[in-house]
């Protein structure tokens, strides 16, 4: 096997030269000093704006307000620096791995060196007890049991076997079963040393070029998320900036002195500096709730993306169905026919079938405990055979190098007569290959045509949902060189012309939660899809059992084949339920045209479809529900193909085979016992898919809350913007403590607690909007702003019209002429507006629980409403003096101001409800019905409106294809 290393440096180069090229084997995450972090943080646009604002407020004698904002900013910077430094230190500690390793030099001598000195080309000796691997390496001799949960989320240890001699070029991506990845824990190594213990591997990648280094790089430099909500938020901030420019020009026209300060003050009001922090509040609350339910997130921005999921892919084994399997029975071949189904392998007579069941596995012993695939564990357990760790050259088995020995139970069952099973030694393993859909072992020990009704028997059990494994054997001669056998032509040659032994039938039960979750998703118009490596008939049966395919719905099997020397590419549709197929073409066309059918396709057909019928792939993806015999690469390819149709795709899986798809999906959920895995953005400790609707509900709640907070912060700025411009017109302004009361006490507290509302218990069919620049959002903001300004102007006119009204001193401007009646009236009304708008824009049904479930928010509303009423209605106190409020004794006037605020609230609340219920849909109707921007929706509308699919009056596929069959 040719080992190709980075930069294509020949491994025969001197060690010093390779060290010069590759450098030290360290994943070094830089941790910046506090001074450097402070400098970078202060240069953040947010803090530059804060510094500018503080200087401006100080120059305008808003000393208390400026001091408070300065203190809050310093605390915020300190906390931010601490968190950044802590995260960098934690990541550095996680990434930095330095251990002592034994390196075998070209001379054969072994040397203990620090892992920092490793370079590609070094041969390392892996001890029998294993180690935490500090590099990527290809296994040259022996076997290793590896825990890869940190990289893949797979909690079950996996077996890695050595490479064989071959002319093919080694690549870690295509041969992961022979690759040891950096950062993974090698639990056990055997078969590589003289005494049969330990293993030998060659270093292929070091530092950031390793798999772990690639993951650390993705954490340090994550890809930007393409989500409309975030893009629109930036555009809206730009709009507020333009509005601030308009306000600045107005201030220049109105005010002839202190023009610069007053004009710039408008900018600090209209652009809320706390907006970015307020928008993340909802995500923080959602992340906390998810963690409480055992769902951990390493990418919080993806929580909002969960709200837009339109299709969810599920792995089958271990995700929809139980991880373990129960043995249903064994069907052994007798001559050219199957024998009776034997319910328990313990009752099988000694022979090749029993030996095959006991030895064809990749399990390993650790502390006397067998570790590995649950299916193989159950299979070995059913035979009653015992696995022993007798490594090395064993004279009992012809002095072959033995990896493991399988021995029959000490006492044979009476039904087995005088015949006694012989032990079997495993001397070579060829692990399961997704591309070949098989595994094999070479054994030493004791030692057939396929039955004529093999296919019907297999189809019968597979269509009932059983997991069916076939067993075969072949005698190898002593001349067979196992070191040259690999997953290539040589291995295919060894594994052909084998003698069929029989079938192992295993039952894989659907998890009790799966059907209810699938039902919930379908009621919410979220499309569930199964993506599995299992048999297509078994997958269809599980799809029916969990409710993906209902009892009255038809399944049509898609068969695509690539061109051969004697035929061109073809695509066929076979209607059938289980083993029964129909040849009525018109019936199948009618079914294809109806809504009650699903397509099922296997991996080979999917590959041919992508390569030879790409123009028709979207139509099949629109109706595909079961994708079987899919390799890990094909799972990733399927997710990306669905995303090209503008689906927001979720993926839920539990093993290493799903890693690529989990990362490619918009939302990947790994079912793992690990608290967090870099294999996917979300990791659930639950062993079932009940976390999926929870995640979608939390995403919807977070997005709707983010919308509400964004609108509230925008309206807060617009309310204050309008009130300041009105007071500028009257040659006055809000006071220092009035700004403090509104900004830090009232608005900040309400913004923090209003995001605490939890998600609704139900998953609604309608997904929430993700665009801030949509007609309902913009019209809501515009109409509310108009109503709020009208209310403020009304309060001012009511005040001016009173008999006891006293005009303010026009020779003094700004806060210097406080207290005055104009300021007090505007202060009163805007205070109520801040409170009432937090209620108006807080959305509940159908994505959140009603407002009254948020106890802190309700409590804050009651306290602030009582406080505002007390400030308006009761006699002056030291608080009134501190806020510089004018003492007005007319109770009728005070009640009138509260009535104006109440009317303002009623109209705004009614308006918001009308907009939510589609009052603006008439404007959409005036523009006419537009085609959806999402391709899958256009295709769905096209398929629903097509007279027949495939069309009866025109060919669906190109003429260069063979005849397309619908059978």
């Amino acid at each position: 096997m040719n080992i190709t290393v980075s930069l294509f440096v020949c491994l025969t180069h001197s060690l010093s030269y390779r060290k010069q090229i590759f450098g030290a084997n360290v994943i070094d995450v830089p941790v910046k000093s506090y001074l450097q972090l402070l400098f970078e943080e202060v240069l953040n646009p947010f803090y530059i704006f804060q510094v500018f604002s503080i200087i401006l407020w100080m120059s305008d004698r808003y000393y208390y307000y400026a001091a408070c904002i300065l203190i809050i900013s310093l605390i915020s910077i300190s906390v931010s620096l601490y968190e950044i430094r802590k995260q960098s230190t934690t990541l550095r500690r996680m990434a930095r791995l330095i251990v002592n390793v034994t390196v075998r030099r070209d001379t054969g001598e072994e040397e203990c060196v620090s892992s920092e000195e490793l370079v590609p080309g070094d041969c390392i000796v892996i001890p029998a007890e294993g180690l935490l691997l500090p590099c990527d390496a290809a296994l040259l001799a022996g076997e290793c049991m590896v825990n890869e949960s940190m990289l893949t989320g797979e909690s079950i240890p996996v077996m890695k076997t050595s490479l064989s001699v071959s002319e093919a070029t080694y690549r870690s991506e295509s041969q992961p079963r022979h690759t040891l990845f950096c950062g993974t824990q090698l639990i056990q190594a055997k078969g590589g040393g003289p005494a049969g213990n330990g293993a030998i591997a060659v270093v292929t990648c070091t530092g950031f070029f390793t798999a772990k280094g690639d993951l650390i790089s993705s954490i340090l430099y994550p890809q930007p998320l393409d989500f409309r909500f975030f893009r629109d938020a930036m555009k809206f901030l730009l709009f507020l900036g333009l509005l601030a420019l308009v306000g600045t020009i107005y201030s220049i026209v109105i005010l002839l002195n202190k023009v610069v300060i007053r004009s710039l003050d408008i900018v600090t009001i209209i652009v809320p500096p706390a907006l970015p922090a307020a928008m993340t509040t909802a995500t923080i609350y959602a992340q906390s709730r998810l963690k409480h339910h055992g769902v951990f997130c390493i990418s919080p921005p993806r929580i909002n993306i969960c709200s837009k999921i339109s299709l969810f892919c599920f792995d089958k084994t271990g995700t929809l169905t139980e991880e373990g399997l129960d043995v249903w029975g064994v069907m052994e071949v007798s001559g050219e026919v199957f024998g009776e189904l034997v319910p328990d392998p313990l009752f099988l007579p000694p022979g090749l079938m029993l030996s095959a069941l006991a030895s064809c596995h990749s399990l390993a012993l650790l502390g006397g405990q067998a570790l590995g695939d649950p299916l193989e564990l159950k299979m070995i357990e059913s035979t009653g055979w015992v696995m022993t760790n007798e490594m090395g050259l064993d004279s009992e088995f012809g002095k072959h190098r033995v990896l493991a020995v399988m021995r029959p139970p000490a006492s044979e069952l009476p039904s087995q007569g005088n015949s006694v099973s012989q032990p079997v030694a495993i001397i070579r393993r060829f692990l399961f290959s997704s591309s070949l859909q098989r595994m094999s072992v070479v054994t030493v020990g004791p030692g057939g045509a396929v039955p004529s009704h093999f296919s019907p028997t297999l189809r019968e059990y597979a269509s009932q949902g059983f997991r069916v494994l076939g067993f075969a054997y072949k005698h190898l001669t002593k001349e067979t060189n196992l070191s040259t056998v690999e997953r290539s032509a040589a291995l295919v040659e060894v594994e052909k012309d084998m003698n069929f032994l029989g079938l192992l039938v295993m039952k894989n039960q659907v998890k009790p939660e799966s059907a209810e979750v699938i039902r919930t998703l379908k009621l919410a118009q979220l499309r569930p899809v199964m993506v599995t490596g299992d048999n297509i008939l078994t997958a269809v049966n599980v799809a029916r059992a969990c409710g993906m395919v209902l009892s009255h719905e038809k399944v049509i099997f898609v068969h695509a084949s690539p061109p051969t020397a004697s035929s061109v590419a073809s695509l066929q549709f076979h209607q059938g339920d289980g083993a029964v197929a129909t040849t009525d073409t018109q019936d199948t066309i009618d079914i294809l045209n109806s809504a009650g059918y699903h397509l099922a396709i296997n991996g080979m057909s999917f590959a041919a479809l992508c390569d030879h019928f790409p123009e028709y792939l979207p139509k099949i993806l629109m109706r595909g529900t079961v994708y079987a015999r899919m390799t890990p690469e094909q799972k990733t390819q399927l997710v990306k193909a669905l995303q090209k149709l503008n689906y927001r795709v979720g993926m839920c899986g539990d093993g290493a085979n799903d890693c690529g798809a989990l990362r490619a999906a918009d939302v990947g959920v790994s079912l793992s016992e690990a608290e967090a895995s870099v294999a996917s953005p979300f990791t659930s400790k639950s062993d079932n898919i009940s976390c999926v609707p929870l995640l979608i509900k939390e995403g919807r709640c977070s997005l709707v809350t983010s919308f509400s907070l964004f609108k509230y912060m925008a309206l807060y700025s617009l309310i204050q913007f309008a009130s300041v411009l009105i007071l500028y017109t009257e040659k006055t302004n809000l006071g220092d403590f009035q700004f403090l009361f509104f900004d830090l006490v009232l608005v900040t507290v309400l913004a923090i607690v209003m995001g605490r509302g939890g998600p609704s218990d139900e998953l609604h069919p309608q997904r929430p909007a993700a665009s801030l620049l949509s007609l309902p959002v913009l019209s809501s903001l515009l109409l509310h702003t108009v109503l709020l300004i009208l209310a403020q102007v009304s309060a001012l006119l009511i005040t001016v019209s009173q008999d006891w009204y006293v005009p303010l001193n026009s020779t003094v401007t700004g806060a210097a002429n406080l207290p005055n009646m104009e300021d007090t009236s505007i202060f009163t009304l805007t205070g109520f507006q801040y409170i009432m708008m937090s209620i108006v824009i807080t959305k509940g049904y159908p994505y959140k629980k009603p407002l009254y479930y948020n106890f802190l928010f309700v409590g804050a509303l009651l306290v602030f409403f009582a406080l505002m009423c007390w400030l308006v209605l009761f006699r002056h106190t030291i608080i009134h003096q501190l806020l510089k409020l004018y003492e007005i004794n007319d109770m009728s006037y005070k009640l009138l101001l509260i009535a104006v605020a109440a009317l303002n609230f009623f109209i705004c609340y009614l308006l918001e409800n009308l907009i939510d219920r589609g009052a603006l849909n008439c404007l959409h109707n005036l523009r006419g019905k537009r085609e959806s921007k999402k391709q899958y929706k256009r295709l769905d509308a096209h398929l629903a409106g097509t007279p027949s699919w495939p069309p009866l009056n025109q060919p669906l596929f190109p003429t260069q294809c063979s005849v397309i069959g619908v059978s």
Side-chain angles (χ1 to χ4, degrees), residues 358-410:
S359 61
C360 193
H361 59 80
S362 58
L363 303 179
L365 279 179
L366 182 63
Q369 180 74 29
L371 297 177
D373 189 282
L375 181 150
E376 295 175 344
L377 286 169
K378 184 66 71 173
M379 181 176 70
I380 300 302
E381 179 186 329
S382 71
T383 64
W385 285 46
V386 180
M387 183 179 182
T388 58
N389 223 354
E390 303 172 31
M391 299 177 295
L393 301 176
D394 198 319
S395 57
E396 181 183 356
F397 299 100
K399 294 188 177 181
H400 286 281
R401 187 178 295 277
V402 173
L403 298 175
V405 175
M406 303 302 302
R407 297 189 178 276

Side-chain angles (χ1 to χ4, degrees), residues 170-226:
Y170 163 82
R171 298 186 186 280
S172 61
E173 299 84 4
S174 58
Q175 294 176 314
R177 285 291 192 177
H178 310 302
T179 304
L180 305 174
F181 294 106
C182 178
T184 58
Q185 179 68 54
L186 307 188
I187 301 173
Q188 185 185 72
K190 62 180 181 179
N197 56 356
I200 305 295
V202 61
V203 178
T204 56
C205 294
T206 57
F208 277 101
F209 293 99
T210 62
K212 181 179 178 180
D214 183 54
L215 290 171
I216 296 297
S217 297
S218 67
I219 295 173
L220 288 172
Y221 311 104
Q223 291 184 352
L225 294 176
D226 182 24

Side-chain angles (χ1 to χ4, degrees), residues 479-500:
E479 289 73 26
T480 304
N481 185 0
L482 296 178
S483 63
T484 63
V485 178
E486 188 42 51
R487 299 276 175 212
S488 59
L491 180 59
V492 172
E493 190 67 26
V494 169
E495 292 180 340
K496 76 176 185 180
D497 298 331
M498 301 186 78
N499 300 303
F500 186 69

Side-chain angles (χ1 to χ4, degrees), residues 515-573:
E516 182 59 32
V517 171
I518 297 300
R519 176 179 170 274
T520 300
L521 295 180
K522 293 181 75 172
L523 287 175
Q525 296 184 9
L526 295 169
R527 185 178 155 204
V529 168
M530 184 191 299
V531 188
T532 178
D534 210 342
N535 180 280
I536 192 168
L537 294 176
T538 304
V540 169
N541 180 276
V542 172
R544 290 193 181 278
C546 68
M548 282 190 187
V549 179
L550 300 179
S551 57
H552 65 277
E553 294 176 328
K554 299 293 183 181
V555 175
I556 296 175
F557 297 90
V558 182
H559 297 273
S561 58
T564 63
S566 58
S567 64
V568 294
S570 65
L571 182 60
Q572 296 181 328
F573 297 89

